[in-house]
Amino acid sequence: MNATTTLPKGTVTRERPGKASNGWSVLIPTILGWLISLAGVILGIIPVANSNSSSIEERIGLSVFIIAFILMIVMIVVSSGFFTLQPNEARVLVLFGEYRGTVRGSGFFWANPFYGRTLSNAVAEETHQDDDEGESKTGPVKAKISLRARTLNGHKLKVNDKNGNPIEIANVVVWHIVDTAKAVFDVDHYERYVATQSETALRHVASLYAYDHNADSDETSEGQITLRSNIVEVSQSLKQELADRLEPAGIAIDDARLTHLAYAPEIAQVMLRRQQAEAIIAARTKIVQGAVSMVDMALKELENDGVVELDNERKAAMVSNLMVVLCGDNDAQPVLNTGTLYS
């Protein structure tokens, strides 16, 4: 029943631990390097700027300045290797296009300064992942990835249910990344991928069930799962559908629920009248069943107690009167008979 999305063979990437040093252990040598380079720049400028210095002193000062300047550039490069991770964050390490692992955990780290900070080119097109009011633009995929639970509020979709009736439906999906390598390298943009697969899964699940029971009897409709009456079962089916579709991208589904369900406007009034008619018929059926049981009980009680002897004609008249009183919409008006039933 579930349509699982599979990625092409040979493109699956597995997450592996990446190497990163403790940032504090690298910070102290970096600070010393900065101090030495700044001191060298200052000491190198003084002989060059002093007009009373000899040519040898100027050459020495110029050499010290050049060396200190080069050291400063090295310190700038080294300093760019520091990064921090908060709880439930990870950083994907990519060196000149080669995946070198993923750093998980929280704290202050230092890694190769040439590890990329952006993993894909910027995306200018807009996605359909909305926040109830507007659309959001997606930028480049960054090396630092959040592992926290995220919420995708799907917009309203017009689809056909199992019976072909047009309905409006929307869902909310709670998801998080479990494999950073799959999320970054096996799909082009994992956030757009989640939004697209969420819409596709919702359309598929909506087409598997009817909006509501259409059977004429309770026995026929018993056990039939519908979108309106079986929210838990439908939500579980949607969650499983999404889990199968997003597993190749290293994404797990925490929850998936329907947030909106209604008939499409073009048939809403017709289906409302149909539901009203079904409700009236069901109510009338209960009233008639109750009235019949009450009349039967009254006749049996009169006969058993010997209160009055009724022939078939009198029983028919009594049944007719009781059914009118019990099943009528308005209060019955009493009529006094001063003669007999046969006059």
Side-chain angles (χ1 to χ4, degrees):
M1 184 177 69
N2 295 331
T4 305
T5 301
T6 57
L7 296 175
K9 186 177 181 181
T11 62
V12 177
T13 308
R14 301 294 181 183
E15 179 182 320
R16 61 177 184 268
K19 295 182 180 179
S21 304
N22 188 304
W24 300 109
S25 62
V26 183
L27 181 62
I28 296 177
T30 303
I31 294 176
L32 293 177
W34 274 106
L35 294 176
I36 293 173
S37 62
L38 291 175
V41 169
I42 296 174
L43 294 177
I45 291 177
I46 293 176
V48 176
N50 190 356
S51 58
N52 297 326
S53 301
S54 62
S55 58
I56 298 178
E57 292 177 346
E58 290 181 358
R59 291 177 183 177
I60 294 175
L62 183 60
S63 300
V64 172
F65 176 81
I66 294 175
I67 294 173
F69 185 76
I70 294 174
L71 180 59
M72 184 177 294
I73 295 176
V74 172
M75 289 298 101
I76 293 176
V77 175
V78 171
S79 299
S80 64
F82 292 103
F83 64 93
T84 59
L85 291 178
Q86 298 179 5
N88 287 324
E89 278 190 341
R91 182 177 176 180
V92 179
L93 305 180
V94 178
L95 182 62
F96 302 121
E98 181 182 356
Y99 175 57
R100 293 296 185 89
T102 300
V103 179
R104 288 175 176 259
S106 59
F108 185 48
F109 299 94
W110 183 89
N112 191 327
F114 295 101
Y115 283 146
R117 296 181 180 272
T118 302
L119 304 180
S120 68
N121 295 328
V123 180
E125 58 187 275
E126 295 182 358
T127 65
H128 295 289
Q129 180 180 349
D130 60 328
D131 302 305
D132 293 334
E133 290 293 336
E135 297 176 338
S136 62
K137 293 184 178 181
T138 58
V141 177
K142 296 182 179 179
K144 185 182 293 187
I145 298 177
S146 174
L147 305 178
R148 303 182 181 99
R150 311 189 195 188
T151 302
L152 171 65
N153 292 315
H155 58 288
K156 295 179 183 178
L157 302 176
K158 183 180 290 187
V159 300
N160 293 332
D161 67 355
K162 184 178 180 180
N163 297 327
N165 298 320
I167 61 174
E168 289 183 348
I169 192 171
N171 67 337
V172 59
V173 179
V174 181
W175 58 279
H176 70 278
I177 295 176
V178 294
D179 193 308
T180 58
K182 287 184 178 181
V184 171
F185 301 114
D186 289 354
V187 295
D188 185 51
H189 198 292
Y190 61 86
E191 290 183 347
R192 290 187 318 188
Y193 185 80
V194 171
T196 302
Q197 292 298 329
S198 174
E199 178 177 334
T200 304
L202 181 60
R203 290 183 182 274
H204 181 250
V205 170
S207 66
L208 297 177
Y209 306 104
Y211 179 88
D212 204 353
H213 296 293
N214 293 323
D216 296 332
S217 62
D218 294 338
E219 292 79 7
T220 307
S221 61
E222 184 178 359
Q224 180 184 3
I225 298 178
T226 63
L227 297 173
R228 181 171 175 265
S229 304
N230 303 90
I231 298 296
V232 176
E233 291 80 359
V234 174
S235 298
Q236 184 63 33
S237 177
L238 177 61
K239 180 180 178 181
Q240 185 61 43
E241 177 86 9
L242 282 169
D244 294 339
R245 289 174 175 269
L246 297 177
E247 190 276 334
I251 294 172
I253 300 299
D254 298 324
D255 194 14
R257 299 283 178 177
L258 299 183
T259 57
H260 177 77
L261 181 64
Y263 282 112
E266 55 266 27
I267 67 166
Q269 293 298 326
V270 176
M271 300 310 293
L272 178 61
R273 289 196 296 268
R274 178 180 176 277
Q275 291 176 354
Q276 291 174 344
E278 290 178 348
I280 293 174
I281 293 173
R284 288 292 184 183
T285 302
K286 293 294 183 182
I287 292 174
V288 172
Q289 291 175 350
V292 170
S293 64
M294 293 175 65
V295 171
D296 180 65
M297 180 183 65
L299 292 175
K300 289 181 179 179
E301 291 290 334
L302 291 174
E303 184 178 355
N304 294 334
D305 295 343
V307 177
V308 63
E309 294 184 0
L310 300 175
D311 56 16
N312 291 333
E313 186 176 355
R314 290 186 178 184
K315 287 182 179 180
M318 182 178 177
V319 169
S320 176
N321 293 334
L322 287 175
M323 292 297 293
V324 170
V325 172
L326 295 174
C327 298
D329 289 334
N330 300 322
D331 295 335
Q333 298 296 326
V335 177
L336 298 178
N337 188 2
T338 58
T340 66
L341 291 175
Y342 305 100
S343 61

